[in-house]
Amino acid sequence: MTKFLKVMAAATLLVSSAIAAEYTIKLTHVVSPNTPKGKGADFFAKRVGELTGGKVEVIVFPNSQLYGDGEEMKALKLGNAHIAMPSFSKFTSLVPEMQLFDLPFIFRDKDHLYKVLDGEVGQILKDKVTAKGFVALDYWDAGFKHLSSNKKAILLPEDAAGQKFRIMSSHVLEAQFKAVGGNPQVLPFSEVYSALQQGVVDGAENPLSNFYTKKFNEVQTDLTLSNHGYLGYLVIMSESFWKKFPNDLKPMVLQAMKEATVFEREEAARDDDDMLAKINEYAKASGNLKVHTLTPEQKAAWQKAMEAIYPQFYKVVGEDLIKKVQAVK
Ligand code: SIN
């Protein structure tokens, strides 16, 4: 960049940051800013500001500060918040078919997952959410989930027997833990730390980013890298808000979301390794946490026990949809 262009770019930035925003988008989420979703939300806010020359300001409310689980979608309906990115399980009562994503071991790997999300099945599910009066934007990623406990190491399905596990509000997750003799309890994300600390529940299932950024490592003694399920998000917008939003500014907001989706997914891919390193460091330094990996035989035992629940959900989720996912190569 020439000196002249640099000066012009700096001046544009100064002018745009000095302009008071004409429109505000309130974005609510329940996790730490330091997760892929949190970073993606902040990136989106920054890009909307840049692309609209400061006309639109996105205010991000992380950590359930504004709305927690179960409140976000109502807030969008009422127009009190404008964008949320709930995890798939939180769509259960709105679009029960979204529980497809909760089925244990449904995705072979990230490549399979993205082909499903960005393909026919992902579109079918977005259309169902749209039909319920939301603008369905993009799918974001948190990662594969792992089992943790403060009772004992969970290496085989029978180790989960009798343990109380926190789950999100999903019938699939309930059935998954019941299938291995566990006792599932629905709790909002904001209450998980204290529930683990006070023994209201013994264990949980989380991707590494949520596990570490919410300090669950401090209140769990054993973490098993089980990769048994998946946690992801659908970014949704308030339909009433979007209808009233100026047409000339819509393309910039959509462009910012497109870029944020790429960024968020890259963060999620990077994040798993970083988080595992930090968790291992904590485990070594504190001596309070053991991290376990599964042998192929142990993994197969989990798969067998948990996949047994699929037929229970053929009607709810749609057997055809499940088969479509399995057929994606
Ligand atoms: C989230 O990542 O948005 C929270 C997931 C959970 O409730 O476990």
Side-chain angles (χ1 to χ4, degrees):
M1 210 190 267
T2 65
K3 199 169 169 196
F4 173 74
L5 283 177
K6 273 187 195 158
V7 171
M8 287 304 286
T12 312
L13 206 70
L14 262 178
V15 170
S16 61
S17 57
I19 293 172
E22 291 168 31
Y23 302 93
T24 300
I25 297 178
K26 283 195 210 168
L27 185 157
T28 168
H29 70 79
V30 302
V31 295
S32 156
N34 208 19
T35 53
K37 175 159 82 172
K39 289 180 196 167
D42 293 343
F43 178 96
F44 170 71
K46 184 168 155 278
R47 285 302 286 144
V48 167
E50 286 166 0
L51 291 169
T52 63
K55 275 193 191 163
V56 182
E57 182 185 19
V58 178
I59 308 179
V60 179
F61 298 89
N63 283 322
S64 311
Q65 258 168 28
L66 195 58
Y67 298 106
D69 291 341
E71 299 167 337
E72 290 184 318
M73 293 190 199
K74 279 184 217 147
L76 258 60
K77 277 278 176 201
L78 293 170
N80 294 337
H82 311 125
I83 295 186
M85 39 261 301
S87 60
F88 298 139
S89 317
K90 309 220 172 124
F91 287 87
T92 295
S93 54
L94 187 79
V95 176
E97 292 88 342
M98 288 286 277
Q99 291 173 99
L100 168 83
F101 296 118
D102 291 333
L103 285 168
F105 298 103
I106 186 84
F107 299 111
R108 290 187 297 275
D109 50 32
K110 281 272 173 101
D111 183 49
H112 181 208
L113 165 79
Y114 284 133
K115 281 187 183 145
V116 172
L117 292 181
D118 299 332
E120 187 195 353
V121 174
Q123 191 56 49
I124 291 172
L125 291 168
K126 270 190 191 173
D127 291 346
K128 288 188 189 293
V129 172
T130 305
K132 296 288 175 172
F134 292 96
V135 181
L137 294 167
D138 280 346
Y139 289 109
W140 284 16
D141 187 11
F144 288 99
K145 290 181 290 184
H146 308 283
L147 294 164
S148 64
S149 165
N150 57 22
K151 276 259 154 78
K152 63 186 231 183
I154 307 180
L155 301 176
L156 282 166
E158 46 268 38
D159 296 324
Q163 293 207 45
K164 289 176 276 172
F165 290 94
R166 177 267 172 172
I167 55 164
M168 296 177 277
S169 54
S170 153
H171 304 300
V172 168
L173 298 181
E174 194 182 333
Q176 166 196 276
F177 279 111
K178 283 191 172 157
V180 293
N183 180 1
Q185 304 204 3
V186 175
L187 285 173
F189 188 62
S190 56
E191 290 174 25
V192 180
Y193 182 92
S194 58
L196 291 170
Q197 189 182 38
Q198 289 161 20
V200 174
V201 288
D202 308 308
E205 52 167 11
N206 285 285
L208 297 177
S209 56
N210 283 352
F211 184 82
Y212 187 74
T213 58
K214 282 291 171 192
K215 301 187 167 47
F216 297 159
N217 48 299
E218 292 176 358
V219 284
Q220 296 280 263
T221 55
D222 293 87
L223 170 69
T224 303
L225 302 174
S226 50
N227 288 293
H228 66 282
Y230 175 70
L231 184 85
Y233 312 108
L234 178 57
V235 185
I236 52 173
M237 183 147 48
S238 161
E239 193 184 50
S240 53
F241 171 78
W242 193 236
K243 272 191 182 146
K244 284 188 239 137
F245 197 75
N247 280 331
D248 60 324
L249 293 171
K250 282 182 180 174
M252 289 98 159
V253 173
L254 294 177
Q255 175 61 26
M257 181 53 67
K258 211 168 143 189
E259 291 176 26
T261 299
V262 174
F263 172 84
E264 199 274 345
R265 289 180 178 192
E266 282 168 4
E267 279 297 314
R270 218 185 349 259
D271 194 73
D272 249 6
D273 290 343
D274 287 359
M275 287 295 139
L276 186 57
K278 289 198 165 100
I279 291 167
N280 277 328
E281 245 170 60
Y282 169 85
K284 205 167 156 201
S286 71
N288 292 336
L289 177 77
K290 288 197 192 72
V291 181
H292 310 278
T293 44
L294 295 177
T295 63
E297 293 74 25
Q298 288 167 334
K299 184 156 185 202
W302 283 100
Q303 209 157 345
K304 188 166 173 233
M306 286 183 159
E307 283 181 2
I309 69 166
Y310 281 31
Q312 280 180 57
F313 293 95
Y314 282 166
K315 274 222 177 81
V316 185
V317 169
E319 189 175 356
D320 56 329
L321 223 51
I322 297 175
K323 297 274 182 288
K324 271 186 203 292
V325 171
Q326 289 170 329
V328 171
K329 290 286 167 251

